[in-house]
Amino acid sequence: MKKHGGSFIGFAFAALVVLVVAFLARLTVYHPPEVHLAEPGEIGSSGVITDGTQESIQRVEVTPDTVQLVIERLSRPDNYSRSVVIERFWTGGSGQSTAQVRAADGWTRVDSGAEGSEARHSVTGDGQCWIWYGDGESVFSGAAALSADEEQGIPTYENILSINSALIAVADYRLLDSVSCIYVETSPNANGYSERWWVSVEDGLLAAAERISDETLVYRMKGMTTELNSVTADAFTLPDGNILYDPAPVSHG
């Protein structure tokens, strides 16, 4: 009897080990579903991506829990130009400036300024920055201290990826001036500021953004129209004619 009881316990223990191993194996082979980004016309009223091939495409509803994964899949175009309008608001007044942006292969040219002021020109690329003003020929250069977005005076929407998801109050798909966008809104931080982003699904660029302080708008940017493959070496040419970068160099072969 004693020997028989030991055999039964050994068998039960072996069966338990088999079940545990099988469970762990299922966890090992599990893969999260792929994210399918919305195309124009695929955004439903519920915010769920829908199209004619629902059986083969994983539908993803953009929520505060999933929006960082979706935005991580976006990519910016390699070559584009656009105009960005920036507004800042303060007690008793406001100011507006524009930035003409041309970007190619990691290089960015920004021509910015407010109405009636001297234009500021900057070229940023390869870790360096060149700056000059108006029609002047004096160029200041050095290591780039600002990112390309900061040179434009706009927020870097990829920062959404690094914030605590608990701070994301709203996230969904919505249209902004007929452009399909991923919308993200944060709760007020310790200083009372909240952020709103509209990221274009069509080109992966920040289409609009707002900063709110205690329910008062203090900053707004908008850049809705993008022209692709329009940037040439002219964008990265200094006043003295020196070409810093040519997006499409001429072949001499």
Side-chain angles (χ1 to χ4, degrees):
M1 294 294 293
K2 188 173 182 179
K3 183 177 180 181
H4 177 73
S7 298
F8 177 78
I9 293 173
F11 175 79
F13 178 76
L16 178 61
V17 169
V18 170
L19 290 174
V20 170
V21 170
F23 177 73
L24 292 176
R26 291 184 62 186
L27 291 179
T28 301
V29 298
Y30 171 76
H31 297 288
E34 292 186 0
V35 174
H36 168 63
L37 298 181
E39 297 293 341
E42 291 184 331
I43 302 173
S45 59
S46 65
V48 178
I49 302 171
T50 59
D51 63 14
T53 57
Q54 293 184 13
E55 292 79 12
S56 61
I57 297 177
Q58 178 67 39
R59 295 183 299 170
V60 177
E61 182 177 5
V62 172
T63 68
D65 293 327
T66 65
V67 67
Q68 289 171 310
L69 175 62
V70 175
I71 287 179
E72 189 176 16
R73 300 294 181 91
L74 293 175
S75 60
R76 304 189 186 199
D78 292 331
N79 185 308
Y80 71 90
S81 61
R82 68 172 181 164
S83 178
V84 176
V85 178
I86 300 165
E87 297 176 275
R88 294 178 174 87
F89 305 87
W90 56 85
T91 302
S94 64
Q96 178 176 300
S97 62
T98 60
Q100 302 296 325
V101 181
R102 287 173 283 178
D105 309 324
W107 285 75
T108 304
R109 163 75 175 264
V110 180
D111 302 296
S112 61
E115 184 178 355
S117 66
E118 190 174 44
R120 177 184 184 273
H121 313 283
S122 70
V123 174
T124 305
D126 199 23
Q128 299 292 309
C129 186
W130 295 259
I131 299 172
W132 67 100
Y133 295 87
D135 297 326
E137 295 186 358
S138 297
V139 178
F140 307 91
S141 63
L146 302 176
S147 69
D149 285 349
E150 290 169 334
E151 284 288 347
Q152 299 174 49
I154 68 174
T156 301
Y157 75 78
E158 284 90 349
N159 288 345
I160 299 171
L161 303 178
S162 62
I163 65 176
N164 188 334
S165 60
L167 294 177
I168 300 177
V170 180
D172 55 35
Y173 285 114
R174 59 182 65 183
L175 295 177
L176 179 65
D177 295 348
S178 76
V179 176
S180 301
C181 294
I182 298 169
Y183 175 75
V184 183
E185 181 176 339
T186 66
S187 301
N189 61 19
N191 296 318
Y193 288 94
S194 60
E195 309 282 347
R196 298 170 181 168
W197 292 278
W198 288 260
V199 183
S200 170
V201 174
E202 297 175 14
D203 57 31
L205 295 171
L206 184 66
E210 294 179 345
R211 182 173 298 119
I212 313 296
S213 174
D214 296 326
E215 301 184 356
T216 300
L217 181 65
V218 297
Y219 170 93
R220 178 168 54 205
M221 69 76 58
K222 202 169 185 180
M224 302 299 299
T225 304
T226 303
E227 186 177 353
L228 300 179
N229 301 318
S230 58
V231 182
T232 63
D234 179 65
F236 311 113
T237 302
L238 296 179
D240 63 2
N242 181 28
I243 299 175
L244 298 173
Y245 178 70
D246 188 347
V250 177
S251 175
H252 298 287

